[in-house]
Amino acid sequence: RTLLRFDPAAVSAVEIRGASGRVSLAKSSAAWTVNGLPASTTAVENFVNSFSGAWADEVALGSAPPAGFGFDKPRVVLTITDSLGPHELRVGAFSPPTAKTGGATGPPDDPSPPAVTRRYVRAPPGGLFFLVSDAAIQTWDKPVQSFR
């Protein structure tokens, strides 16, 4: 299942808030900036294009309160703005172990990752909860240098 549906060509801004800090990408005409400085158009467009096809491993829950799922202190918040407005993803805690993932024990907010690490992702806020590979999520938390 696709996490977000948007037209990469219509994206005008991207904000990443994560362990790497805050990165703000903005497009004016055909040029991109990162935190107000010139950015590599190729790097930004590659990121946006790769993210437009991001898939969830599975739907975790139809809806539930965010307590215990790590959305109070998300690992990454990614906001993509296009002609329809902002679209936000919030990355929460590691999912508990299941037969599908195997691995460690503990509640959803346990900081120790299971053997196959997946995290809860909410898209958009108030929407469905998904399970997404932590390896994929790590590619979303980009430092400023990745876009220069």
Side-chain angles (χ1 to χ4, degrees):
R1 176 168 176 141
T2 304
L3 290 171
L4 289 178
R5 296 188 190 281
F6 63 92
D7 176 7
V11 172
S12 59
V14 177
E15 182 176 85
I16 306 163
R17 289 176 288 163
S20 297
R22 182 183 218 125
V23 176
S24 295
L25 304 166
K27 184 177 183 182
S28 61
S29 303
W32 283 92
T33 60
V34 56
N35 293 356
L37 299 172
S40 163
T41 298
T42 301
V44 174
E45 289 178 352
N46 286 344
F47 176 73
V48 170
N49 287 331
S50 70
F51 193 78
S52 70
W55 284 79
D57 294 338
E58 64 182 276
V59 176
L61 304 167
S63 62
F69 290 93
F71 296 110
D72 55 335
K73 295 178 184 173
R75 183 188 186 288
V76 179
V77 177
L78 181 71
T79 307
I80 296 176
T81 303
D82 65 7
S83 57
L84 299 176
H87 310 279
E88 183 181 274
L89 287 180
R90 289 182 170 263
V91 176
F94 289 108
S95 68
T98 65
K100 188 171 184 175
T101 60
T105 60
D109 59 348
D110 186 344
S112 61
V116 176
T117 55
R118 300 189 304 172
R119 288 182 177 268
Y120 290 104
V121 174
R122 192 170 198 181
L128 295 175
F129 292 86
F130 298 97
L131 290 174
V132 177
S133 156
D134 191 51
I137 291 166
Q138 289 177 19
T139 69
W140 303 347
D141 187 12
K142 300 267 190 192
V144 170
Q145 297 80 3
S146 297
F147 300 104
R148 293 212 170 128

